[in-house]
Amino acid sequence: MKDYKYDYNKNSFKVNGDKDHNQQYYIKINSEYVEVREEVFKTIRSSYDQMRHIHHMEVAKSVLYFEDVDLATFFISNNETDMLDKIIIHDLYVLVLNEIALLDEPNKTIANLIFIEDMSIRNVAKVLGVKNSTIIYHKKKIQQIIQKKLKKLLPFE
């Protein structure tokens, strides 16, 4: 599981002064506020806000996220799994592979690298020469597409 501990929290950012003139920007470092330039403040604050947003989105859609294959398939690793369960899991696996094969580019490439080759988002972004956020966006879309198709095929309630 991901560990979402940040270097900053909501109380780490402080702005003093009136909105029109002489604003002073502070960032809390080692339990002490340090004055920084506006650009530094806004960059760090924006980064912090983005990390929080991504975390909240992942929590909200946690059904779609499996960092570790063992977490996604914990229910099939039990030695007591009978043959019928193994067949169903295999059929689901084949269905997912077929759905990935039907995706358009670049989603097909991203799905293969992340779900089949088990590459991290950072490594996929490097290979494709795009930002991590682009890969995260496509990964979410791919997961939603596959999830919708599986729901149509399987009698989930």
Side-chain angles (χ1 to χ4, degrees):
M1 296 293 294
K2 288 185 179 179
D3 187 15
Y4 289 100
K5 293 186 179 176
Y6 308 117
D7 292 334
Y8 303 101
N9 60 41
K10 286 183 180 182
N11 298 328
S12 296
F13 305 97
K14 186 166 76 169
V15 179
N16 287 342
D18 54 2
K19 292 184 180 180
D20 297 329
H21 307 44
N22 301 328
Q23 282 192 326
Q24 298 163 331
Y25 300 92
Y26 298 93
I27 296 177
K28 195 175 202 177
I29 300 174
N30 295 330
S31 69
E32 195 175 306
Y33 284 99
V34 177
E35 186 173 359
V36 295
R37 292 191 329 246
E38 179 181 6
E39 298 84 22
V40 173
F41 178 87
K42 287 184 177 181
T43 301
I44 293 173
R45 179 64 189 252
S46 173
S47 176
Y48 166 75
D49 289 341
Q50 184 180 13
M51 287 182 354
R52 285 191 65 225
H53 175 73
I54 290 171
H55 171 68
H56 289 301
M57 294 305 294
E58 286 180 348
V59 170
K61 296 181 180 182
S62 61
V63 174
L64 299 176
Y65 284 85
F66 293 111
E67 287 273 320
D68 185 356
V69 173
D70 292 337
L71 293 176
T73 59
F74 69 93
F75 56 92
I76 64 166
S77 62
N78 191 348
N79 290 337
E80 299 172 8
T81 305
D82 63 3
M83 187 57 75
L84 184 58
D85 288 342
K86 288 180 183 179
I87 292 169
I88 291 170
I89 298 299
H90 180 266
D91 289 348
L92 285 173
Y93 176 75
V94 171
L95 282 171
V96 170
L97 289 178
N98 288 337
E99 291 304 326
I100 288 173
L102 295 174
L103 292 171
D104 58 333
E105 291 297 340
N107 290 337
K108 184 176 185 177
T109 303
I110 292 170
N112 281 322
L113 293 173
I114 291 176
F115 301 116
I116 297 172
E117 299 296 326
D118 200 29
M119 289 179 69
S120 69
I121 289 173
R122 179 179 288 164
N123 288 340
V124 173
K126 284 180 184 176
V127 167
L128 298 179
V130 296
K131 294 181 180 180
N132 290 357
S133 59
T134 303
I135 301 301
I136 291 169
Y137 171 79
H138 284 283
K139 180 181 174 189
K140 286 179 185 179
K141 290 296 181 188
I142 293 164
Q143 288 171 321
Q144 290 171 349
I145 291 167
I146 292 172
Q147 187 178 32
K148 283 179 186 177
K149 294 200 179 189
L150 287 178
K151 280 184 179 181
K152 287 179 184 178
L153 296 172
L154 300 171
F156 289 124
E157 293 190 35

